[in-house]
Amino acid sequence: MEERLRVLREAASRGFEVLEGGGSALDAVVEAVVVMEDSGLLNAGVGSALTFDGVAELDAGVMSGDGLLGAVAAVRRVKNPVVLARRVAELTDHVLLVGEGAERLAEALGLLVPEGVLVTPEKLRRLEELKARWRRGEDFGWLTRLRRLVEEYPGLFGTVGAAAVDRAGGVAAATSTGGYWLKMRGRVGDTPIPGAGFYAAKGVGACSATGIGEAIIRFMLCRRVCDLIALGLDAQSAADEAVRRMSEELGRGLAGVAAVDAAGRVGFAFNTEVMLVGYARRGKVEAKLLGAPQSL
Ligand code: ASP
């Protein structure tokens, strides 16, 4: 746990350094997410989960209040899908590139890595363990998955994301994930879906989500958070209210969000047991496990 908190502190402070150096909110969220993708300790980039048949298919999305919007889904052999998502926005006329086509762009940009970087013997062993349990009849349906597995394998989930506001009042959000273990090949969750796994609105705020993608897409969670900020709520109240409404509609144990509003206030809310969060502002960098019993 301490190691993962260290990664979050590092991500938050690197993102903040970008802002202090005059970088945009977009630069900052991408920088922070790259730190988390490279850590190998969270479910994104190097640490990504594997599909049922043992491949790593990664999703990521990025959006700024200035209108930059890019995402990639089900990409293999890409260590930093958040960087590829940004390049989709900057270099193409498209918003979302998937699979082989996205990998071709990654290859052209020098963003491909050998398969073994993302599919390691240790991960294949973990996959076999999970599959053995699935064969014995354990229920890994999407509604029970998070509640159950998170207790037994604390490192199993952990999509990463960031939201930031810069000096000029610009906002941006980025999210990156390996999805979840035992997912079908080709399954895409909320992470690369604008409004679901990430969203940013000019003069309003930005939001990044984690949790069960199928539920987050149904609820359009990040868009809802930003809409509530636009109605006048601060980031914390908007995050609380969106998650409360989601719990009412779809049940608990499904999701968490990190949000900022354009005034620079942060908000975290979740209806899962725990959520790891980190943030940085001038003179303060902090990472913590919210909602956790001390033993975690
Ligand atoms: N939201 C991710 C997905 O459904 C999983 C996660 O947050 O861990 O793909």
Side-chain angles (χ1 to χ4, degrees):
M1 176 56 59
E2 197 35 57
E3 280 202 324
R4 279 182 284 155
L5 288 173
R6 187 186 47 72
V7 172
L8 262 66
R9 271 193 296 273
E10 165 87 8
S13 59
R14 289 266 289 275
F16 189 66
E17 276 165 28
V18 169
L19 296 173
E20 290 248 282
S24 67
L26 177 74
D27 296 330
V29 292
V30 170
E31 177 75 17
V33 168
V34 164
V35 170
M36 294 186 276
E37 287 176 337
D38 285 346
S39 72
L41 295 174
L42 301 159
N43 177 16
V46 176
S48 288
L50 300 183
T51 62
F52 194 88
D53 56 351
V55 298
E57 289 189 340
L58 282 52
D59 307 327
V62 59
M63 183 170 186
S64 76
D66 295 333
L68 179 136
L69 174 59
V72 294
V75 291
R76 295 163 67 169
R77 298 178 53 211
V78 177
K79 182 171 71 73
N80 296 114
V82 72
V83 173
L84 186 59
R86 180 178 185 165
R87 301 305 275 157
V88 166
E90 290 169 341
L91 299 175
T92 80
D93 294 324
H94 310 309
V95 164
L96 172 61
L97 278 189
V98 308
E100 202 190 320
E103 287 157 14
R104 282 194 195 173
L105 178 64
E107 186 169 19
L109 296 172
L111 293 173
L112 280 191
V113 295
E115 181 108 43
V117 174
L118 303 179
V119 182
T120 60
E122 199 268 320
K123 283 192 197 175
L124 289 169
R125 265 195 304 279
R126 176 181 270 188
L127 180 64
E128 281 319 307
E129 232 178 88
L130 288 170
K131 278 164 81 168
R133 293 178 49 180
W134 176 82
R135 281 193 203 97
R136 287 198 297 271
E138 285 196 39
D139 176 11
F140 286 115
W142 66 272
L143 272 171
T144 47
R145 192 187 313 267
L146 188 66
R147 288 184 195 116
R148 254 287 199 82
L149 292 185
V150 99
E151 280 163 25
E152 294 170 45
Y153 298 87
L156 211 54
F157 286 84
T159 288
V160 309
V165 51
D166 60 35
R167 281 183 184 166
V171 291
T175 311
S176 179
T177 191
Y180 49 60
W181 290 81
L182 303 182
K183 69 180 183 179
M184 287 174 71
R185 191 187 289 218
R187 176 266 183 191
V188 172
D190 60 303
T191 302
I193 309 297
F198 66 106
Y199 197 72
K202 194 181 182 78
V204 175
C207 176
S208 171
T210 178
I212 299 294
E214 287 74 3
I216 296 169
I217 292 171
R218 279 184 173 83
F219 195 73
M220 282 284 129
L221 180 56
C222 285
R223 174 67 197 251
R224 298 261 199 130
V225 171
C226 287
D227 283 353
L228 287 165
I229 297 174
L231 286 175
L233 275 67
D234 61 34
Q236 186 59 55
S237 313
D240 284 339
E241 180 59 14
V243 169
R244 190 192 64 74
R245 290 183 192 178
M246 183 172 179
S247 303
E248 232 171 60
E249 236 173 76
L250 298 172
R252 294 182 54 77
L254 295 174
V257 290
V260 292
D261 57 43
R265 294 167 296 204
V266 299
F268 302 108
F270 51 101
N271 63 13
T272 50
E273 297 290 314
V274 296
M275 183 172 165
L276 278 178
V277 303
Y279 69 93
R281 58 161 55 106
R282 187 155 303 120
K284 183 162 185 170
V285 179
E286 201 176 2
K288 52 190 171 189
L289 182 66
L290 296 179
Q294 286 306 318
S295 61
L296 276 175

